[in-house]
Amino acid sequence: MVPVSATDDLSPADLPRPDRAAELRAALLAADFTADGLLDLLGAPAYAALARSETVPAERATRWPPGGAPPALATLTRLFLLQHAVPRAHAEAVLPLAACLADGWLRQDGDAVRAVVDVRPYGGPAGQDWWIVSDLGCAVGGAAGARRAAAAAGTADAAGAADAAGADLVLGVGGASTTLAGLTVPLDGGRVLDLGTGSGIQALHAGARADSVTATDVNPRALACARLTLALSGAPAADLRAGSLYEPVAGERYDLIVSNPPFVISPGARLTYRDGGMAGDELCRTLVRGAADHLADGGYCQLLANWQHVEDEDWRERVADWVPPGCDAWIVQREVQDVTQYAELWLRDAGDHAEEAGGTPMRAQRAMGDYAARYDAWLDAFAATRTTAVGFGWITLRRTGAAEPAVTVEDWPHPVEQPLGDAVAEHFARQDFLRRTDDAALLATTFRLADDVVQEQVGRPGEEDPEHVVLRRQRGMRRATRADTVAAGFAGACDGTLPAGVILDAVAQVLGEDPAVLRERTPGVVRLLVEQGFLAPAPPGGAG
Ligand SMILES: C[S@@+](CC[C@H](N)C(=O)[O-])C[C@H]1O[C@@H](n2cnc3c(N)ncnc32)[C@H](O)[C@@H]1O
């Protein structure tokens, strides 16, 4: 373990020093270089396009006539987001230029200046103005973006840039980063570990609520970027530690561990931000397995992961098998890609895709050959492990110490409502309730139907009775479940006034069924409705 405190020199020569980050922040705020300011300047379509790495609309929105002085916000957008050389005088009108040059945020390029890192406005959940620092071209895309940025800046040729900048690139905020941030249980206080901090985005979120944040990364450049992100955003400093996986936090426990790890299942360890360097999905397995030793009682571990779908093996069993003893788990598969789609996605991310290779015909031909060879090697590695597809999803563990932990593994590719942090915490609270409530106690409990539940009737138009009824939640995971007449009637009557058993007796009477049989048969359905949040135990005091 290499602990890195705020006083250590954590400034690789190619990255800025954070000493005067507060001065820079003041200038960015004064120019309204914030998420809201940018949205106003660019308009929603160009703003959204930028988040997809498409810069043309933002280029158009920030052009100004030659000779005129551009607005401060346009200058900063062109400098830090579009990564253009900006006339020195324009930069000087907006930024503490001498300090920015001396501290390495900017570099001189003839009569102009250029950004050394990507500095991207990011709106925090409580309206905070934050900025994320990452490598140029990596704010949204991976190494492919760095390749384009280096070629555009003339610091490397298009084909060589990714490998030259290479292995230790630091990514900005991608879809995975914001997914994890939205999923994170909103603890108040406590100790948080952000494992594989990268740009520091998870540490930034955590720092807004936690008592302390430890952020680790195997890449020292990532730790430097995380420190810059936190300093520039005016967030509390994190305890930054270099090292792999749990190595930097041996013997320590946390109330929350978050990790968007390098989960890509790839043949070889080419790009540190995504290739874990362990075979198959072993890195994710190791993280999940090891979490129990680093979680405080009741603590959560939340991570994004990829897992193999192996011939003649149920992926659910594979991933459930990773869960350490004493932890409840909720594993959600969001997407599955076959091995060809998967290899193409990540070859494109690295800038290996044939379309990415510009330059001379000979270079293009060589790049096509490299692409084919890399693609082939990827498929070889999948074939050798009988992997047919790769699942992507979320894993949340909660250390309960329960002898019989609740492990839920499910496929849920449908749209959800982010942020989901509260819904995640509620899921685990419901598991606690179900574990301590036997069937007799369940029937004696008073439930309330969640406010966001609607009923859909499915059947042929004009038919008197529906083929079936679906109960659907509008919030959170936006769950849907088929319900028979008993379940739908029962759920509809749960208004927090009568115990479940009494409602079932009434439903039995209406349907002409034997109440004893219904009481015997129904607890499983009630459990499912509770587990998925359709029903919640009502607080004492009735419907009120
Ligand atoms: C996908 S990035 C995530 C960055 C950031 N936390 C986010 O949410 O956007 C994965 C990070 O894990 C780091 N990493 C790679 N291998 C690691 C390892 N063995 N141990 C710890 N961190 C590692 C990479 O350097 C990279 O910063």
Side-chain angles (χ1 to χ4, degrees), residues 35-420:
D36 288 344
L38 209 55
L39 184 60
D40 283 348
L41 173 78
L42 301 180
Y47 183 83
L50 206 51
R52 300 191 298 272
S53 262
E54 295 293 347
T55 51
V56 173
E59 294 277 357
R60 293 167 60 87
T62 56
R63 273 185 203 143
W64 67 91
L73 186 49
T75 298
L76 292 177
T77 304
R78 293 181 79 80
L79 188 58
F80 286 119
L81 304 186
L82 302 176
Q83 295 158 11
H84 288 306
V86 162
R88 200 187 151 96
H90 294 172
E92 201 152 28
V94 186
L95 293 169
L97 190 63
C100 286
L101 285 166
D103 291 353
W105 294 96
L106 302 178
R107 68 180 171 84
Q108 191 83 39
D109 184 3
D111 289 340
V113 292
R114 281 184 178 275
V116 170
V117 283
D118 187 295
V119 174
R120 197 148 294 230
Y122 179 80
Q128 300 96 328
D129 290 318
W130 286 338
W131 292 271
I132 307 292
V133 178
S134 66
D135 272 316
L136 293 178
C138 291
V140 184
R147 196 178 263 221
R148 283 191 292 267
T155 51
D157 65 65
D163 293 325
D168 59 357
L169 283 174
V170 181
L171 282 197
V173 176
S177 324
T178 49
T179 295
L180 179 61
L183 282 180
T184 302
V185 169
L187 293 187
D188 278 319
R191 300 186 71 206
V192 177
L193 168 63
D194 172 18
L195 195 155
T197 192
S199 67
I201 175 176
Q202 311 301 339
L204 188 57
H205 276 273
R209 307 183 72 107
D211 291 329
S212 70
V213 179
T214 301
T216 67
D217 207 291
V218 77
N219 176 3
R221 295 187 75 255
L223 293 175
C225 282
R227 185 161 69 146
L228 292 168
T229 291
L230 297 175
L232 194 56
S233 300
D239 177 1
L240 301 168
R241 302 185 192 177
S244 180
L245 302 177
Y246 292 111
E247 190 184 278
V249 294
E252 294 180 50
R253 290 189 183 272
Y254 295 86
D255 301 295
L256 174 65
I257 300 173
V258 286
S259 186
N260 169 14
F263 50 64
V264 177
I265 298 172
S266 53
R270 208 170 142 215
L271 295 162
T272 310
Y273 68 77
R274 60 166 224 199
D275 303 318
M278 294 168 93
D281 49 20
E282 183 59 23
L283 183 131
C284 291
R285 192 188 80 91
T286 306
L287 275 178
V288 174
R289 279 261 129 193
D293 291 340
H294 297 283
L295 284 176
D297 288 342
Y300 291 91
C301 170
Q302 297 190 268
L303 46 101
L304 305 181
N306 275 188
W307 43 78
Q308 290 162 255
H309 284 219
V310 176
E311 255 171 61
D312 304 325
E313 183 188 278
D314 185 339
W315 71 268
R316 291 175 185 78
E317 284 171 21
R318 179 183 189 85
V319 187
D321 201 46
W322 296 355
V323 177
C327 288
D328 285 358
W330 185 19
I331 295 159
V332 183
Q333 178 168 274
R334 295 288 292 159
E335 193 183 345
V336 181
Q337 289 192 322
D338 70 47
V339 289
T340 61
Q341 293 170 312
Y342 190 80
E344 288 162 26
L345 171 72
W346 295 108
L347 285 166
R348 202 180 290 273
D349 167 84
D352 293 329
H353 195 271
E355 289 160 15
E356 296 280 351
T360 62
M362 212 154 87
R363 179 175 291 154
Q365 204 174 9
R366 200 180 59 216
M368 293 271 273
D370 287 352
Y371 173 73
R374 285 203 159 109
Y375 197 158
D376 208 24
W378 215 308
L379 295 187
D380 274 350
F382 279 139
T385 51
R386 296 166 51 243
T387 303
T388 56
V390 177
F392 166 84
W394 317 328
I395 299 180
T396 303
L397 307 174
R398 181 159 171 254
R399 189 167 183 267
T400 56
E404 290 187 23
V407 177
T408 307
V409 188
E410 61 178 322
D411 214 358
W412 190 256
H414 311 294
V416 299
E417 184 195 42
Q418 279 275 33
L420 268 172

